[in-house]
Amino acid sequence: MKNRIYLLTGTLCIIMQLAGSCSNFLEVEEKGKTTIPSFLSDPDGLNAGLVGAYNKMYAYYDNEYTKYPDVAGNMLSMKYVSAGADMLDQYNFTSDALQETGAVGYIWRKIYEALANVNNVIQYQPQVVSAYPNAKDMCQRILGEALFLRALCHFDLCRVYAQPYNYTSDASHLGVPVLLKTPGPDDNVSRESVKKVYLQILTDLEQATDCFKGIESSGIYYASLQAVNALYSRVYLYMEDWDNALKYAKLAIGTEQLSQGDTYLNMYQDLSTTGEAIFRLNGIDQSGKLKAFYDASCVPADTLFTLFDEGDIRLSLLKNKDGIAYCSKYYSLKQPDNQVNRDDPFVFRLSEMYMNAAEAAWHLEDYTAASGYIKSILERAVDTNYAVNTLSQYSDIKLIQLIEKERIKELCFEGHNFFDIIRWKQDLKREKNTNSSVEKIAYPSDYFVLPIPQVELNANTNMQPNPTVNN
């Protein structure tokens, strides 16, 4: 079975830097099977395997996966709409299952590559602990990080190839395959319900929490207990489990404060600035794809600018020095290693946790708490007077409108916009002068997910397609 589906062969390219480059992903099956057990047989190998998994996470976050929800959303305008433009089919909702070398195929393939690497680490970790009991703490940390990454992979796949959790009342609609180990050549896996996918995500996060107890964070480029709590909060937000979404947002926030002023801007412009980062991916020795994309292919849409008031610090990240629309969230002026093409995409930062907490508190009818979280965001954006005046314009019932507006402004171009629109069960509405062929799509829509890659469907008769987009 040479042309095995992506998720079956992904495990075999374990770690590019240390085990050699896989020149042809679909042609390394036998070599991978013989080298992986020996490669992951000691603590150093296990840690190296984890590094490989992080690199695979970076490969999909720094490209199509993070581009997709903003290109498919309503706050971005493509500069070029001629045939062959990067992400044009996602902009126009013309994605095709045959597009193996575009977002449809690459997102699926890259996430399952990352997932396969993570599962290898999880599979061999117990054997390493048994053989090297003195390295138990190190191996426990590695397991915690791997479990977090596995949860994140399944969550990300579900956001792209499945309708949101609240699409059906019981989340019984099709999700994605749940992979806890590498399938064999004759294992034709099928898609689980979204509910089952989320249950596995929560199970992995619970186990990761246990692994991280008593272990200090290794820094913002590594999974940590704070990152686990952040993912918990986001997952529960999508599930509309407001109590837990708020609980874990609070745990992720802890005693930390939002970054202010220059520190806030420097999170993007000076990559040595930690700021309010909870978890971001390390782009060292990489040529940042997001940086190149936002530099050449798209700009913030006019509809985004209409949401801002004068003096908002966030506008500095959406215009160039000449005041022209330009997303500079991936255009760092300083890099710790002087690699000018580097970008380090955020996965979680504190501001998102404030937004999660505000949205969850509002749904719990704790309007005072919801207002408090939004007030902190508004104060940082402009000042206290602005925050007080803005909040005074919204009744408790209408406060959710401000919460959604601030979430759009705060998290724009960080991979949230389209996913938020569909989990809010809103129609996609773009500016009247959009150069996309699509100005509006009513919710719900079969077009709100990408098609399952055709090569996957051809190789696995158990793999169910998505309606309409796979036709």
Side-chain angles (χ1 to χ4, degrees):
M1 278 198 173
K2 201 78 166 191
N3 283 326
R4 198 71 192 115
I5 57 178
Y6 291 149
L7 60 89
L8 297 190
T9 57
T11 184
L12 307 172
C13 282
I14 175 160
I15 173 168
M16 305 308 149
Q17 296 86 347
L18 300 177
S21 175
C22 294
S23 58
N24 189 322
F25 184 68
L26 297 177
E27 296 180 355
V28 295
E29 190 162 343
E30 293 306 317
K31 179 181 178 181
K33 283 185 176 178
T34 59
T35 60
I36 288 173
S38 59
F39 187 82
L40 298 176
S41 62
D42 59 45
D44 288 339
L46 200 67
N47 194 60
L50 184 65
V51 171
Y54 277 114
N55 288 331
K56 284 297 183 182
M57 300 294 292
Y58 181 88
Y60 81 80
Y61 261 91
D62 189 56
N63 213 318
E64 296 87 4
Y65 174 77
T66 300
K67 296 174 186 176
Y68 170 61
D70 286 295
V71 166
N74 59 2
M75 295 294 157
L76 174 150
S77 179
M78 297 282 286
K79 288 184 180 180
Y80 309 105
V81 290
S82 55
D86 187 20
M87 302 297 292
L88 181 62
D89 285 305
Q90 289 66 56
Y91 190 50
N92 290 332
F93 287 86
T94 54
S95 296
D96 192 306
L98 294 173
Q99 295 167 339
E100 294 181 43
T101 57
V104 172
Y106 279 157
I107 295 176
W108 180 272
R109 172 174 179 159
K110 289 177 182 179
I111 296 181
Y112 273 115
E113 286 179 351
L115 183 57
N117 278 265
V118 168
N119 277 335
N120 281 330
V121 172
I122 294 171
Q123 177 182 348
Y124 290 100
Q125 188 265 0
Q127 298 176 28
V128 176
V129 172
S130 297
Y132 297 88
N134 291 336
K136 180 180 179 180
D137 289 346
M138 173 185 174
C139 292
Q140 196 73 357
R141 172 188 58 77
I142 289 172
L143 178 60
E145 293 182 48
L147 287 164
F148 166 84
L149 296 179
R150 185 165 74 181
L152 186 59
C153 284
H154 282 115
F155 181 67
D156 290 343
L157 278 164
C158 232
R159 291 207 286 176
V160 175
Y161 295 98
Q163 296 284 356
Y165 190 90
N166 58 1
Y167 181 74
T168 54
S169 60
D170 58 356
S172 59
H173 53 288
L174 281 176
V176 296
V178 172
L179 290 189
L180 306 184
K181 62 179 182 178
T182 304
D186 297 318
D187 294 334
N188 288 329
V189 299
S190 59
R191 299 168 69 179
E192 300 286 359
S193 69
V194 170
K195 183 175 183 178
K196 287 186 178 180
V197 178
Y198 272 60
L199 285 174
Q200 183 57 51
I201 292 168
L202 295 175
T203 297
D204 280 344
L205 291 178
E206 182 180 7
Q207 293 176 7
T209 299
D210 290 338
C211 291
F212 282 125
K213 286 180 179 177
I215 296 178
E216 292 187 9
S217 170
S218 299
I220 62 172
Y221 294 115
Y222 302 91
S224 63
L225 182 57
Q226 186 185 25
V228 170
N229 289 330
L231 181 52
Y232 256 134
S233 178
R234 189 187 290 177
V235 170
Y236 280 124
L237 193 78
Y238 277 59
M239 295 175 69
E240 298 185 342
D241 182 338
W242 308 119
D243 285 301
N244 278 315
L246 178 58
K247 170 187 172 180
Y248 285 101
K250 287 180 176 179
L251 286 172
I253 293 169
T255 59
E256 295 187 19
Q257 300 294 317
L258 293 174
S259 294
Q260 305 290 328
D262 288 343
T263 303
Y264 177 74
L265 297 178
N266 283 338
M267 290 191 304
Y268 303 94
Q269 298 173 350
D270 181 352
L271 296 184
S272 64
T273 302
T274 298
E276 63 179 48
I278 294 174
F279 178 53
R280 69 191 303 183
L281 292 165
N282 194 332
I284 189 170
D285 296 328
Q286 305 286 339
S287 182
K289 302 297 190 299
L290 293 174
K291 181 175 184 176
F293 179 70
Y294 282 104
D295 184 51
S297 300
C298 58
V299 294
D302 291 341
T303 47
L304 178 59
F305 287 110
T306 64
L307 302 180
F308 287 92
D309 292 315
E310 187 177 349
D312 195 310
I313 192 173
R314 295 169 293 192
L315 284 171
S316 299
L317 299 170
L318 302 176
K319 295 181 180 180
N320 65 16
K321 61 182 180 181
D322 298 319
I324 299 173
Y326 177 81
C327 173
S328 63
K329 285 192 170 184
Y330 301 97
Y331 191 82
S332 59
L333 301 175
K334 295 181 181 180
Q335 307 84 23
D337 44 21
N338 295 318
Q339 296 183 352
V340 296
N341 292 322
R342 173 177 169 176
D343 61 53
D344 295 357
F346 283 101
V347 181
F348 296 101
R349 59 186 181 90
L350 214 57
S351 291
E352 183 197 345
M353 296 302 104
Y354 274 69
M355 300 309 309
N356 290 1
E359 185 175 341
W362 184 87
H363 281 283
L364 293 170
E365 299 183 5
D366 189 347
Y367 304 121
T368 300
S371 296
Y373 288 112
I374 289 298
K375 184 172 183 286
S376 295
I377 296 289
L378 295 170
E379 285 179 325
R380 191 261 305 282
V382 184
D383 57 34
T384 300
N385 287 337
Y386 172 79
V388 172
N389 291 336
T390 300
L391 283 165
S392 69
Q393 301 171 32
Y394 292 84
S395 65
D396 287 345
I397 298 302
K398 292 186 176 182
L399 182 62
I400 190 62
Q401 297 173 8
L402 178 61
I403 293 170
E404 292 178 358
K405 176 181 175 181
E406 287 303 313
R407 186 177 180 91
I408 292 169
K409 291 156 64 178
E410 184 61 41
L411 301 178
C412 61
F413 311 121
E414 296 182 34
H416 294 271
N417 182 226
F418 183 62
F419 297 144
D420 283 334
I421 290 170
I422 59 176
R423 72 174 178 85
W424 288 333
K425 296 187 175 183
Q426 296 178 355
D427 299 343
L428 173 69
K429 298 178 182 178
R430 288 172 167 163
E431 56 191 354
K432 293 290 184 182
N433 63 342
T434 181
N435 58 358
S436 171
S437 60
V438 172
E439 182 183 328
K440 178 181 178 180
I441 301 179
Y443 179 92
S445 173
D446 290 343
Y447 290 98
F448 285 170
V449 297
L450 290 186
I452 303 299
Q454 190 62 45
V455 66
E456 189 81 41
L457 297 173
N458 292 342
N460 182 357
T461 56
N462 287 344
M463 186 65 64
Q464 305 95 316
N466 277 327
T468 305
V469 293
N470 266 112
N471 293 344

